[in-house]
Amino acid sequence: MELPKLSLLRDKHHHTFVVPVKRINEGHDVQQFLVSKAHHDLMLFVLQLNRAIFPCRLSRSNGSGAQWRTWELDSYHDPPSHAVRRLQGLLHRLNAVIDEVPPDPGPRRFGNVAFRQWYEAVEARLPDFLQDSLPEQVLLFSHSSNVSVQAELQSYLLGAFGSAQRLDYGTGHELAFLAFLGCIWKLGGFDVSSGGDEERAIVLGLIEPYLQLIRRLIKTYTLEPAGSHGVWGLDDHSFLPYLFGSAQYGPAISATDETPVEGSLSNAPDPADVTKTAVVERERGRNMYFSAIGFIYDVKKGPFWEHSPMLYDISGVRSGWAKINKGMIKMYMAEVLSKFPVVQHFYFGSLFSWDRDPNAAPPPSSVHTSNQPSTSQPEKTESNAILLPLRNVQNEGPTTAHGPVSATPSSAFVGTAAPWAKQPRVKSPTTAFPSQMDQRNISQTPRLPPNVNPRPVAAAQSGGQAAATGMPPPTRAPWAKYPGT
């Protein structure tokens, strides 16, 4: 089955480029974004890239004897197109700027202020970088506006490296890089008739090197997570490597197959292997999911289930990597594209338009769309957020083989209080792992950390839902107030 792809810009002579502007200023603006052309195109581009990265089933007449072909980071040697090579050169030049701006050695509490110098250096050179690196089809794109194509694309690329003001990086900046690549696709800069080869080159040859650049920026300048959920989020900084990485381990498909929703390659590692450092080290050079897991091990210490409980829960999914991939897509829509703290900094231009998509259905009411801020507020980080009390409620969300997994923080732990948070909080959304339709034959036993025995249900009377499920309660700060204490 051939899925739709991101459309090319056809009306060249009458197109007017604009400098992208901010449109999402208040919570209700997210509803408009969810039915905009930009939202449709961003999600379509994600699905297009995601399908291309699934292993390919080979015909019996291929002569190699292999049944499928996988797309791994260290063994994907297909020659990239001229456009991909030029953009790889751009990432290399951005990486080299880090060598010119060493981190500031002075004392600091949060991010290193030298990141601002790196950002300013990149901003000053970016027009020349784009002129040298953008595909010819993009640079020569005919239009009828006074704004150049570089001016519109520069806004997305410059927004893809984090905030020089807040010294942080998060999934909103990752989204900006995705939009930058989507703009080039729309302008015909990529080979659109490659049968999936160009999409694979975009993921493995551009998005993964971009993520490596970002990880170097984070480690060099100690960038803070932007709008992080703390341990109750999927990852402090990124989302796309988990989405595409789970597809790399999915079952092999042909061009006419539907995108699978369960199963794995026969030789794929078990999802639970994310807790085994030897497997992570072996796979991080091959797979984007394990590459992201490996970075977590690089920057965090302690038990995996403790600092990454959501990823630990996901590792208990028994229906294969395709099931995880399906859940990641739902979670991306709910936790990235539907969250005000993430999308409020996305800018809209002529290529990713704020105009309403005429075919868009009204977004369903959910915790993601209804619990939005009423006014635009400065972002809060984990460092200055307020810890809310534990709530003694039942987890009503879907479960995996090892217990409940939600696209939002556990219902037992409300998490950090943002300025726009409204209480009481509603139950966990249904856009989680796996969907309610997929719960048959799945155990309801919680996924416990190693060497932790379930506690009596009565313990929930004083310890909240965390005690009832056998999970250790979150660390209690001396000033925190909890029910019954």
Side-chain angles (χ1 to χ4, degrees), residues 79-151:
S81 66
H82 183 60
V84 172
R85 287 198 304 272
R86 289 174 68 103
L87 292 171
Q88 287 174 337
L90 170 63
L91 294 174
H92 178 76
R93 296 173 73 174
L94 292 168
N95 213 328
V97 180
I98 301 177
D99 299 325
E100 303 175 17
V101 186
D104 187 272
R108 62 186 182 279
R109 185 179 179 187
F110 302 116
N112 194 295
V113 294
F115 176 69
R116 293 179 179 140
Q117 300 175 32
W118 180 90
Y119 191 93
E120 291 171 359
V122 169
E123 186 176 18
R125 304 179 197 181
L126 204 53
D128 292 336
F129 284 179
L130 290 175
Q131 185 66 36
D132 296 338
S133 305
L134 287 175
E136 292 90 340
Q137 297 93 326
V138 174
L139 293 172
L140 300 177
F141 194 90
S142 177
H143 59 90
S144 60
S145 61
N146 295 325
V147 177
S148 67
V149 61
Q150 293 98 316

